[in-house]
């Protein structure tokens, strides 16, 4: 079916179709052979409270980004909620391992730089599938570059620790 769907009669609204199909196939292969077995092993051998704490830790880091993007989008409620979540969970929740903010009823929002650009009228651009990162749009791909360059984990000096934290985030 892929041969029929691409080629000279390809859809002009999907200029990256050939690239996207190849990346999708690569991602499916990596997911099937590596990521899914690792994730299933992680789930089978790691108790739920530990997995929840790991997810909470990474969600807490995202709350910091949501705060900034709430400000840039001129959405004071989103910015205030996210700042409160980050502050409460970072201090009382042991660096975010415990999600105290949810227990206090502070709403969690999810905003990234791609949504911020969209709020100010930047068109989404073509659909794009990244190797290992999956589907996105050209506009939302700025999130990957920008937020990863400011991610606190990417600035951990010890390479083994940084790679372990990155790998754990991927598995989570």
């Amino acid at each position: 079916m892929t041969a029929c769907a691409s080629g000279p009669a390809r859809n002009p609204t999907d200029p990256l179709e050939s690239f996207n199909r190849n990346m999708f196939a690569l991602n499916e292969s990596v997911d099937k052979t590596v990521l899914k077995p690792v994730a299933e092993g992680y789930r089978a051998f790691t108790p739920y409270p530990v997995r929840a704490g790991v997810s909470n830790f990474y969600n807490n880091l995202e709350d910091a980004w949501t705060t900034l993007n709430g400000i840039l989008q001129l959405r004071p409620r989103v910015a205030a909620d996210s700042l409160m979540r980050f502050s409460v969970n970072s201090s009382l929740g042991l660096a975010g391992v415990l999600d105290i903010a949810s227990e206090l009823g502070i709403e969690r929002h999810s905003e990234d730089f791609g949504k911020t650009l969209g709020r100010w009228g930047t068109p989404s651009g073509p659909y794009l599938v990244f190797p290992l990162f999956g589907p996105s749009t050209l506009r939302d791909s700025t999130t990957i570059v920008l937020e990863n360059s400011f991610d606190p984990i990417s600035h951990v000096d010890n390479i083994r620790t940084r790679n372990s934290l990155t790998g754990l985030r991927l598995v989570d």
Side-chain angles (χ1 to χ4, degrees):
M1 285 184 73
T2 38
C4 298
S6 59
R10 82 177 98 182
N11 185 345
T13 61
D14 189 6
L16 303 172
E17 178 183 4
S18 178
F19 174 82
N20 288 336
R21 286 183 183 277
N22 288 328
M23 288 305 102
F24 178 80
L26 173 73
N27 289 344
E28 285 291 301
S29 175
V30 170
D31 186 54
K32 182 179 178 182
T33 58
V34 179
L35 297 178
K36 185 176 181 184
V38 170
E40 287 174 343
Y42 173 70
R43 184 178 175 107
F45 295 106
T46 307
Y48 174 77
V50 174
R51 291 193 323 265
V54 168
S55 292
N56 290 342
F57 173 78
Y58 290 115
N59 287 339
N60 190 50
L61 294 178
E62 290 176 22
D63 286 338
W65 278 111
T66 297
T67 300
L68 177 61
N69 283 293
I71 293 167
L72 294 174
Q73 293 174 23
L74 301 179
R75 293 186 172 165
R77 175 67 186 230
V78 168
D81 284 349
S82 299
L83 179 60
M84 283 300 297
R85 287 187 60 81
F86 181 74
S87 300
V88 167
N89 287 340
S90 293
S91 57
L92 301 177
L94 305 173
V97 172
L98 302 175
D99 186 4
I100 305 296
S102 288
E103 293 177 24
L104 295 174
I106 303 171
E107 186 177 352
R108 184 165 204 279
H109 305 276
S110 180
E111 300 294 333
D112 60 38
F113 193 66
K115 289 179 184 178
T116 299
L117 291 174
R119 169 101 165 141
W120 297 108
T122 305
S124 63
Y127 178 74
L128 182 61
V129 179
F130 283 102
L132 302 179
F133 286 101
S136 187
T137 63
L138 196 55
R139 177 189 71 208
D140 290 342
S141 67
T142 60
T143 297
I144 295 168
V145 175
L146 181 69
E147 291 184 6
N148 284 340
S149 65
F150 290 103
D151 181 13
I153 291 172
S154 69
H155 296 285
V156 172
D157 286 335
N158 185 294
I159 294 171
R160 175 180 252 163
T161 302
R162 182 177 61 235
N163 290 346
S164 296
L165 289 169
T166 301
L168 184 59
R169 177 186 273 167
L170 242 171
V171 171
D172 179 60

